[in-house]
Amino acid sequence: MSMTDPLGDMLARIRNAQRAKKSDVVSPASRLRENVLEVLKREGYIAGYEKTNVRPGVDELHIQLKYHEGTSVITEIYRVSTPGRRVYSSVRDLPRVYNGLGISIVSTPKGVMSDNEARKANVGGEILCQVF
């Protein structure tokens, strides 16, 4: 059975694993998921991730979650643009999450990047998710 929102599924897996105090979580691999994880790693929200081959044509992402003094680094992570309601924003209208303490992950013509990187590159795009 196919999944209607693969990125939303990965975000829910991360959210559930952090609430259960797991050290890592496994998710099916895709290029978009890898790009989002790269932004999360670059911004310091996860410790890292690794792509492994389960069998020919099937890959998985092993995501190492990050904790600081017993509490998870990610307080909130949720999907903004869903398959039923896409949310696009110009560079001037990119939202600030908690006045700059959190990030929005944006899919732009120059690739997937955080809202700060999108402002520096002067590009807008689809707001995929917000993290705090």
Side-chain angles (χ1 to χ4, degrees), residues 39 42-43 103-106 112-119:
V39 172
R42 207 170 38 235
E43 296 289 330
I103 63 166
S104 293
I105 299 178
V106 184
V112 177
M113 55 183 72
S114 70
D115 57 344
N116 293 331
E117 295 167 339
R119 283 187 193 92

Side-chain angles (χ1 to χ4, degrees), residues 89-97 100 102-104 106 108 113-124:
S89 177
S90 67
V91 68
R92 288 180 309 260
D93 300 328
L94 281 174
R96 293 192 186 274
V97 182
I103 63 166
S104 293
V106 184
T108 69
M113 55 183 72
S114 70
D115 57 344
N116 293 331
E117 295 167 339
R119 283 187 193 92
K120 287 178 187 170
N122 198 28
V123 291

Side-chain angles (χ1 to χ4, degrees), residues 67-131:
Y67 295 92
H68 178 65
E69 297 178 358
T71 61
S72 66
V73 174
I74 298 174
T75 307
E76 294 178 10
I77 185 167
Y78 59 93
R79 187 89 154 101
V80 174
S81 185
T82 61
R85 184 185 61 106
R86 300 291 185 186
V87 179
Y88 297 96
S89 177
S90 67
V91 68
R92 288 180 309 260
D93 300 328
L94 281 174
R96 293 192 186 274
V97 182
Y98 289 103
N99 205 19
L101 294 176
I103 63 166
S104 293
I105 299 178
V106 184
S107 177
T108 69
K110 294 184 179 180
V112 177
M113 55 183 72
S114 70
D115 57 344
N116 293 331
E117 295 167 339
R119 283 187 193 92
K120 287 178 187 170
N122 198 28
V123 291
E126 181 183 358
I127 303 170
L128 298 175
C129 60
Q130 291 185 342
V131 185

Side-chain angles (χ1 to χ4, degrees), residues 1-6 9 13 28 33 55:
M1 184 172 164
S2 67
M3 202 178 311
T4 58
D5 189 10
D9 174 65
R13 287 176 191 233
R33 290 178 186 189
R55 59 182 185 269

